[in-house]
Amino acid sequence: MTMEAHGWLNEPTRTALVFEHCSRGSLQDVLIMDEIKLDWSFRLSLLTDLVRGMRYLHASPLRVHGSLSSRNCVVDARWVLKITDYGMLSFYEAQGIAPTPRSAKELLWTAPEALRDSKTYPKAGTQPADVYAFGIIMQEVVVRGEPYCMLSLSPEEIIAKIKKPPPLIRPSVSKGAAPPEAINIMRQCWAENPEMRPDFAAICERFKQLNHGRKVNFVDTMFQMLEKYSNNLEELIRERTEQLDIERKKTEQLLNRMLPSSVAEKLKLGLAVEPEEFAEVTIYFSDIVGFTTIAAHCTPVQVVDLLNDLYTCFDATINAYNVYKVETIGDAYMVVSGLPVRTPDHAEQIATMALDLLSQSGHFKVRHLPGVPLQLRIGLHTGPCCAGVVGLTMPRYCLFGDTVNTASRMESTVYG
């Protein structure tokens, strides 16, 4: 189909024809959108629209398009392809306007005879040249890629080779990329000799064979396209939902590592986390004996590696106990049992865990100081405690009360 021209813009800086707006963009835009699944029937429908439009155009008084490409084939909201920019070269010639010079990339749809003999070649173009341009567009639709995309050549190199054969250069399309008859039509359209190229009336008849002789119903085609587009959207939404679910789980895992799961659930629901008092919990504190001396023999990165290796080992160990890791500050490691879930055996859990961590530290080897033994200083205390979330940015689950202070002092006053 061809688009209806609505007006002419005449300004000192630019002159333009105004055509109907097509919301899907150009055919080139549709082809590069990976979200749109284009099966052969979909592509054939678009090409059939193009063939019918060019057959009408060549039979009209205008006779020639002159600058056909996938950029001036546009697709409307109903997935009907329409042709625009037709007759622009004739318009420029009639108005005495010099057309804007085209880049090598914009010349990829131009027939060889137009490139080689630009002085005597008709400025408005020819019908065989339009057929050649259609052949290049067919290649774009069949392989869903730019003209000559399968060749490792720049547009400038391609144009130079087209201008000066041999060898003849054309897009390379495998026979299995489309039905054999479609491949044959495409190759005949870009024949070197313009007289060997079929006209659009003949191409239209051969496209009827591709459609198995049935007349294409625009309404049926439109609904088929809309159904496929809807299915594509559903598949895309499903994939995006799965990706979102994976990211949500990662976020929840991170949040549950930073806060107790019961507290994290309240925060996710937007509920306030009120401070809570616990009648009896057991708190564990530990640090590394002689850490300042060890750190003096390490670079800052080595200190980070040491603490990360040690506390990764500790984190894996405490998973076997009913405890909650509160925080690490420098070389200090703080754990509690009996909150946020109250348990009667909190003291036993912490004491057994402390012995386990003590054993782990005895077997721990510092990567850059393998001969230096690592000793822990540990303090424990049981008593009442208050716990709550402090802060909005990087919120922390903090413990308060004399039990915390006593456990800390027990640890700091230990003598090895």
Side-chain angles (χ1 to χ4, degrees):
M1 297 182 68
T2 57
M3 290 184 64
E4 181 182 354
H6 289 288
W8 173 33
L9 176 65
N10 186 17
E11 292 184 352
T13 56
R14 59 175 177 168
T15 302
L17 290 174
V18 180
F19 288 89
E20 172 190 349
H21 172 67
C22 285
S23 59
R24 304 289 180 188
S26 69
L27 175 61
Q28 187 179 68
D29 295 332
V30 171
L31 293 175
I32 63 175
M33 290 179 66
D34 293 333
E35 293 84 359
I36 301 176
K37 301 290 189 288
L38 297 177
D39 61 13
W40 174 243
S41 63
F42 201 144
R43 302 182 200 195
L44 181 60
S45 178
L46 295 172
L47 288 172
T48 301
D49 288 340
L50 176 53
V51 169
R52 288 176 171 175
M54 289 304 299
R55 182 185 63 172
Y56 170 81
L57 194 64
H58 279 192
S60 72
L62 192 60
R63 302 288 296 169
V64 173
H65 187 291
S67 56
L68 182 64
S69 74
S70 59
R71 297 178 179 180
N72 48 38
C73 296
V74 292
V75 182
D76 68 9
R78 297 178 299 163
W79 294 100
V80 175
L81 185 144
K82 298 182 178 181
I83 304 167
T84 184
D85 292 347
Y86 47 82
M88 291 298 294
L89 296 179
S90 300
F91 177 77
Y92 288 146
E93 185 178 13
Q95 297 296 321
I97 301 170
T100 305
R102 291 186 288 173
S103 66
K105 191 171 185 178
E106 293 171 324
L107 291 172
L108 293 176
W109 293 268
T110 306
E113 60 271 19
L115 293 171
R116 296 170 192 156
D117 193 13
S118 57
K119 293 183 179 179
T120 60
Y121 184 80
K123 292 183 179 179
T126 65
Q127 290 189 353
D130 284 347
V131 173
Y132 178 92
F134 170 72
I136 301 298
I137 294 173
M138 275 197 74
Q139 174 253 286
E140 293 181 81
V141 174
V142 168
V143 304
R144 201 167 182 178
E146 294 183 346
Y148 300 90
C149 61
M150 65 292 296
L151 304 182
S152 300
L153 297 172
S154 67
E156 290 77 12
E157 291 171 327
I158 293 170
I159 295 301
K161 288 180 178 292
I162 293 174
K163 284 182 177 180
K164 294 182 179 180
L168 291 178
I169 183 171
R170 294 292 187 272
S172 177
V173 181
S174 65
K175 294 182 179 180
E181 178 63 11
I183 300 294
N184 291 335
I185 294 172
M186 176 180 64
R187 290 175 175 170
Q188 290 173 20
C189 286
W190 64 44
E192 180 68 14
N193 185 349
E195 295 179 359
M196 297 297 293
R197 299 170 196 159
D199 59 25
F200 275 106
I203 296 172
C204 191
E205 290 301 316
R206 294 175 69 177
F207 260 70
K208 288 180 181 178
Q209 297 176 12
L210 287 174
N211 284 301
H212 305 291
R214 64 179 182 272
K215 188 173 181 180
V216 179
N217 185 299
F218 285 107
V219 176
D220 290 343
T221 302
M222 180 186 71
F223 279 111
Q224 289 174 8
M225 291 180 178
L226 287 175
E227 183 179 0
K228 290 173 184 176
Y229 188 60
S230 175
N231 291 337
N232 291 336
L233 285 178
E234 289 177 2
E235 179 67 18
L236 183 63
I237 291 170
R238 187 187 63 79
E239 291 176 0
R240 294 290 189 270
T241 302
E242 288 180 355
Q243 293 173 4
L244 182 62
D245 190 50
I246 291 171
E247 294 303 318
R248 180 182 59 80
K249 289 179 179 177
K250 288 180 181 179
T251 303
E252 289 180 356
Q253 289 174 357
L254 181 61
L255 187 60
N256 288 331
R257 288 179 182 178
M258 297 173 62
L259 297 168
S261 57
S262 57
V263 174
E265 286 299 323
K266 289 183 180 179
L267 291 177
K268 284 189 292 184
L269 294 173
L271 303 176
V273 181
E274 300 294 336
E276 188 174 1
E277 292 187 353
F278 296 85
E280 195 173 76
V281 300
T282 300
I283 296 175
Y284 164 100
F285 272 99
S286 70
D287 68 1
I288 300 171
V289 176
F291 178 73
T292 304
T293 303
I294 295 174
H297 293 85
C298 307
T299 65
V301 172
Q302 288 173 334
V303 172
V304 173
D305 288 340
L306 163 61
L307 294 176
N308 184 58
D309 291 346
L310 179 63
Y311 291 148
T312 298
C313 174
F314 281 11
D315 290 347
T317 302
I318 68 174
N319 284 334
Y321 300 93
N322 190 6
V323 299
Y324 171 69
K325 176 186 171 183
V326 181
E327 62 182 349
T328 57
I329 302 176
D331 65 320
Y333 196 78
M334 181 182 180
V335 183
V336 64
S337 182
L339 67 79
V341 179
R342 293 169 173 82
T343 54
D345 62 339
H346 50 84
E348 179 184 345
Q349 291 288 328
I350 287 290
T352 309
M353 179 205 74
L355 291 173
D356 202 348
L357 295 183
L358 193 63
S359 175
Q360 293 289 342
S361 65
H363 295 91
F364 183 81
K365 299 294 182 184
V366 182
R367 274 190 276 172
H368 54 283
L369 296 172
V372 176
L374 209 62
Q375 294 180 309
L376 280 189
R377 183 165 40 217
I378 297 174
L380 312 177
H381 190 63
T382 298
C385 177
C386 180
V389 176
V390 176
L392 295 175
T393 303
M394 291 295 291
R396 294 173 56 196
Y397 188 69
C398 297
L399 310 185
F400 302 93
D402 288 340
T403 304
V404 178
N405 298 331
T406 303
S408 178
R409 291 192 182 98
M410 290 281 286
E411 178 269 321
S412 61
T413 55
V414 168
Y415 293 97

